[in-house]
Amino acid sequence: MVVDVVADASNESVRTLVVSRKQALTADVTLLDLRDPEGAALPAWEPGAHVDLVLPDDMVRQYSLCSDPGDAHVWQVGVLREPAGRGGSIHIHDVLAEGDTLEVRGPRNNFPLEPAESYLFIGGGIGITPLIPMIDAAISQGTPWELVYGGRSRDTMCFVDQLESYGDQVAIRPQDVHGLLDLPGMLGEARVGTAVYCCGPEPLLQAVEAACASWPAGALHLERFSAKELEEPVRSDSFEIELTVSDVVLTVPPDRSIMQVMEDNGIPVVASCMEGTCGSCETVVLGGTPDHRDSILSPAEQEASETMMVCVSRSVSPRLTLEI
């Protein structure tokens, strides 16, 4: 789906950056260096953050920052070429060139590195990108860590030489040599004080979730590329949304999302993924009970219902009160 970007509907910064370097990391992964055209410093960010790249025809795509958060003058993103995708990665690989400019929104962080006694990082394919700055942060903090990194084959895996320089803290496990990652062996016994951070394709995330079933609540942290499968909404009928800032009450029918109803009534909302994976439409909930259908909020955050993603989530209660 092509999504319109409403830049002024959010406090997030939107800036025009120049592609200062475009480097092939593998046959299918390109690394972009993005800088301010005038050399100005970019907004600060923490490991786990991502940015939105605004591409032609209003395509918006999210990519994890994988550079050094301490370097305020460059943002790096790794882009996997996806021939069966929606066209964004193909444009970046085949059309975008050094010296071109892009609108970039963010950064935004739905995958922050929380304090822990130790870390176990699990990366699959391009999912290694948000873990690179996390590893650097763990090293800077003196926190024990280890990484298990899987991919189809070694030549499809990014940053391998850099990661192997860390020694036995890193296990590189290409599938064509080692088979699937031994997740039951790694995760079968919960480790008190260890936080697990995993990013990669959906089958890996589901397998890690299953293997961590006995771990303490909050120990597992995931970032998804695409939305997880959804069950039918709790309500099959319409519900109301009360928008306190806009001072209006609207009805959301079964065949329209909250976001669509707001946009139909001239209330702008920042839209990006439209799948509940990027967090750009996160909205404060003041009343009512949301039917959370996103792939971002943790179970504890969904239970607290302080915010919701209005692109996909709906309502359990007859009315939701939202701060927008």
Side-chain angles (χ1 to χ4, degrees):
M1 174 181 287
V2 176
V3 182
D4 291 332
V5 179
V6 185
D8 62 355
S10 167
N11 291 326
E12 290 182 328
S13 58
V14 180
R15 56 190 19 84
T16 299
L17 301 183
V18 63
V19 179
S20 63
R21 183 177 64 152
K22 181 178 178 181
Q23 175 188 2
L25 296 182
T26 72
D28 294 319
V29 177
T30 288
L31 184 71
L32 301 180
D33 283 15
L34 304 173
R35 297 178 184 268
D36 183 273
E38 305 300 323
L42 301 175
W45 59 280
E46 299 291 334
H50 70 266
V51 292
D52 297 348
L53 303 188
V54 183
L55 304 172
D57 298 323
D58 289 330
M59 291 188 294
V60 181
R61 300 293 182 264
Q62 299 80 41
Y63 297 103
S64 297
L65 292 168
C66 57
S67 45
D68 176 5
D71 186 344
H73 290 89
V74 63
W75 286 345
Q76 289 183 333
V77 296
V79 180
L80 173 67
R81 182 185 180 91
E82 299 183 87
R86 296 173 293 168
S89 69
I90 298 298
H91 175 84
I92 291 171
H93 275 254
D94 295 353
V95 180
L96 192 68
E98 291 184 5
D100 288 350
T101 58
L102 284 171
E103 269 198 359
V104 181
R105 187 169 64 210
R108 184 186 313 118
N109 200 341
N110 305 315
F111 192 44
L113 186 66
E114 305 287 353
E117 295 176 15
S118 63
Y119 297 106
L120 171 57
F121 300 113
I122 303 173
I126 195 64
I128 192 63
T129 50
L131 304 183
I132 296 294
M134 291 186 178
I135 290 170
D136 290 340
I139 293 170
S140 297
Q141 297 162 6
T143 305
W145 64 274
E146 58 184 301
L147 166 70
V148 180
Y149 178 23
R152 296 191 310 276
S153 59
R154 184 183 175 92
D155 62 358
T156 67
M157 300 167 69
C158 307
F159 306 110
V160 170
D161 292 341
Q162 171 186 336
L163 292 169
E164 286 186 328
S165 70
Y166 295 124
D168 59 9
Q169 288 175 277
V170 173
I172 305 295
R173 294 290 183 268
Q175 186 176 341
D176 61 347
V177 175
H178 298 277
L180 296 176
L181 297 181
D182 180 17
L183 298 177
M186 283 187 278
L187 303 169
E189 185 174 342
R191 309 183 205 174
V192 176
T194 296
V196 179
Y197 278 78
C198 180
C199 184
E202 185 61 24
L204 173 64
L205 301 183
Q206 291 181 6
V208 169
E209 281 184 303
C212 283
S214 64
W215 285 58
L220 176 60
H221 305 261
L222 303 175
E223 184 168 56
R224 285 186 151 86
F225 296 149
S226 57
K228 57 188 176 184
E229 278 193 35
L230 296 175
E231 299 178 353
E232 289 297 312
V234 173
R235 297 184 68 93
S236 59
D237 57 348
S238 300
F239 59 91
E240 292 182 334
I241 50 172
E242 178 184 356
L243 310 181
T244 59
V245 176
S246 303
D247 192 25
V248 66
V249 175
L250 303 172
T251 298
V252 181
D255 61 343
R256 301 289 285 172
S257 69
I258 294 174
M259 175 177 287
Q260 288 171 328
V261 169
M262 288 194 287
E263 291 179 338
D264 289 346
N265 287 271
I267 300 167
V269 185
V270 169
S272 187
C273 71
M274 300 299 288
E275 297 178 336
T277 59
C278 77
S280 62
C281 69
E282 187 169 10
T283 302
V284 173
V285 178
L286 299 176
T289 305
D291 176 11
H292 293 287
R293 300 168 63 76
D294 65 275
S295 301
I296 300 173
L297 298 176
S298 68
E301 289 170 330
Q302 290 189 347
E303 184 176 354
S305 288
E306 295 178 353
T307 64
M308 68 183 295
M309 308 303 157
V310 295
C311 66
V312 292
S313 296
R314 299 187 68 79
S315 183
V316 175
S317 53
R319 175 181 287 197
L320 286 175
T321 303
L322 305 178
E323 190 178 45
I324 192 169

